[in-house]
Amino acid sequence: MNDSRTHHERPAHTDTGTPRRVVVSGIGLVTALGEGTAATWEGLLAGRTGIAPLRGYDPAALRTRIGAQVDGFDPARYLGRRSLRMVCRGDQLGVAGAALALEDAGLTDATGPTCGAELGYRTGLFLGGNKDMPRMDGLVDGVVRIRREDGTPDLGALGRDASSILAPLFYVEGLQPAALFHISQKFGIRGANDFFAGTADASVTALGRAFRAIRRGECDVTLAGGYDEPTSWWTMSKMDGLGVLTTRNDAGADACRPFDREHSGSVFGEGAALLVLEERERALARGARVYAEIDGFGSGTDCVRPPGTHPRARGLARAITRALADARRDTATDYIAAHGCATPQGDVSETRALHDALGTAAKAAQISSVKAQTGHLVGGAGALNAAVAALALHHGTVPATRGHHEPADGCDLDWVPGSPRASRPGAALALARGLEGQAAALSMRVDR
C-alpha cells in the first residue's frame, strides 16, 4: 500500500516488553506572573504575586473581587484574524502556551518562520480544561434582544430569529475542545489526541495520557497540559457562592494562604501550562534540553458529593500511591508541588493524604503551593504544578509557599515557608485535585 507519510511519521518500533522512557523537553507558561516560562519561574522565586483586584468588569456584586489576571496579553501574536473570531480567552491562552512550549523545546518558533511547521502523525496532543461557555458578550446581546417590555424572555422570538440573534460562530466558539483544533491545525499535529474536561485534575490527566502514549509507542512527542480563564465574570459568578473562594478582599495580594492558620479559600487565576513530552532517546539525539523524566502517573477519586472532599482525601492518596507504583520507586520524594488550594478542608485533607500515601517519608519531603502567586488556574492548575515540579528538578531549587507563616491545625508538614531552597531535589510529585472529587498525580525524577 502506498504511504505518503514521511519517515518521521511512520509508526515507531519498540522493544517488546520494554517501556520507553519519557522526558519533559519543553515548557510553555502564561500566568499573571508573565508570559513565558522564564517570567513565571523568576516571579515564583522572587516571591511576586499576580493577585490583584479584578479588571475587565465590575465585580462589586461578587463576594470575591480579587484574582490573578494576565496583563498585556496579545493573542494576535499567536493566532490569525480568522481564528481569533472563533476562540475564547481561555483558548487563546492555551494556543499561546502551546506555541511557547514547542518553541522552548526547539521544535518550532512561537511566532517566527517555523511557527506553522508540520509535526505530523508521531506527535500527539492532550489537553485539559474547564471551559463551558463561549464569550458572554454575544450571549448577553442576544438575551437583551428577546426580552419583552415586562422583562420576561420571549422564547418564540428566539426560535424565529435565532440565526440573526446568535451568530453561528457562537456555537463553534463554545465547543469545549476548541483549542485542540486550533493547536493541531497551527502546528500540523495529527497523532493521538484527546481532551479532558474538569478542573485541576483534568490537565494532569492529560499529561498522564500523553506520558503513556509515548511510553507505549503511540507517539514520539506529545504536547500536553491545560488552560483556563476562571477570573471571567461567568466563572466567578457561578463559583462565588460555593464557599471555595476567599472573601478576604481587604487582604489583596496576601489573601491566599495555603496550609496557613489564616487560610480562608482560593483565589482564581487565568493562564496556561503546556509541556512537551518526548521519548528520551529521541530528545537526546537532537540535543534537546531535558528538564526532568516522567516515570509514573496515578489517579483516584474521593466519591464525595462536590464541592466537598473526603476527610483523608482518599482519592488523592490513591493517585499518589499509584503514581509511585507506576514509577517503581519507593515513597521517598524530595519535592511535592502540592494542590494547596488554601481552603481549610482542602489543606487538612491533602495533608492527611500525604501521610497516608507516603508514611514517614511525608515528613522529609519539601512541599509547596504556588497558588498564592499565580492564583488557582482551575483547568490549568495541575499542569502548572507539573511544570513547577520539572523546573524545580532542573534548576535544583524548590519554590516557597508564599503567605504561609504558621501551619494550620492538622497541616504538620514542611511547606517551605519564607524563601526558595536550593536543595537539589532528585525526585518529585505533582498533585492535582478536582472540584468533582477526582485527583491525579505525576511522578518525576532528575534524568540520568
Side-chain angles (χ1 to χ4, degrees), residues 88-360:
C88 300
R89 183 171 174 84
D91 298 325
Q92 295 170 2
L93 294 168
V95 174
L100 292 168
L102 290 169
E103 180 182 56
D104 187 53
L107 296 173
T108 68
D109 295 331
T111 58
T114 63
C115 180
E118 287 279 317
L119 296 177
Y121 290 96
R122 296 297 300 165
T123 301
L125 178 61
F126 301 90
L127 301 177
N130 189 47
K131 175 181 175 182
D132 59 1
M133 285 291 288
R135 283 178 289 190
M136 295 297 296
D137 47 2
L139 178 62
V140 171
D141 288 342
V143 169
V144 170
R145 290 177 61 183
I146 66 166
R147 288 180 63 186
R148 298 188 180 96
E149 289 186 5
D150 63 0
T152 59
D154 185 349
L155 297 183
L158 178 63
R160 291 191 304 271
D161 305 321
S163 60
S164 61
I165 291 175
L166 299 175
L169 290 181
F170 173 83
Y171 302 101
V172 175
E173 178 189 297
L175 295 173
Q176 280 191 317
L180 196 75
F181 161 72
H182 290 284
I183 293 171
S184 61
Q185 181 193 51
K186 183 178 180 69
F187 299 107
I189 298 174
R190 302 194 297 279
N193 64 91
D194 210 342
F195 179 82
F196 299 88
T199 48
D201 58 292
S203 52
V204 170
T205 301
L207 283 161
R209 175 67 178 89
F211 157 65
R212 288 176 174 171
I214 295 175
R215 187 163 69 170
R216 295 169 178 172
E218 291 180 70
C219 304
D220 297 323
V221 181
T222 59
L223 178 63
Y227 53 92
D228 212 337
E229 52 166 335
T231 55
S232 68
W233 174 85
W234 171 255
T235 303
M236 289 296 298
S237 64
K238 72 178 183 178
M239 296 295 293
D240 200 47
L242 289 184
V244 297
L245 299 178
T246 182
T247 57
R248 294 193 56 193
N249 301 293
D250 58 313
D254 297 318
C256 186
R257 306 278 291 272
F259 304 105
D260 187 81
R261 67 183 181 91
E262 297 294 332
H263 54 184
S264 59
S266 287
V267 176
F268 281 163
E270 62 179 357
L274 278 88
L275 284 68
V276 174
L277 309 189
E278 192 166 354
E279 192 273 321
R280 183 176 182 271
E281 295 307 315
R282 182 188 190 278
L284 295 178
R286 68 180 185 87
R289 170 179 50 201
V290 171
Y291 287 100
E293 179 178 357
I294 298 179
D295 57 4
F297 167 70
S299 62
T301 183
D302 282 349
C303 288
V304 174
R305 185 184 300 276
T309 183
H310 187 268
R312 304 200 72 86
R314 58 188 177 189
L316 180 63
R318 177 170 175 77
I320 295 169
T321 301
R322 294 308 306 157
L324 293 175
D326 195 27
R328 298 182 181 180
R329 68 179 177 89
D330 60 26
T331 56
T333 302
D334 302 314
Y335 174 58
I336 300 172
H339 183 66
C341 62
T343 67
Q345 187 181 34
D347 286 353
V348 173
S349 61
E350 183 170 4
T351 305
R352 291 171 177 166
L354 289 168
H355 279 293
D356 291 345
L358 301 179
T360 57

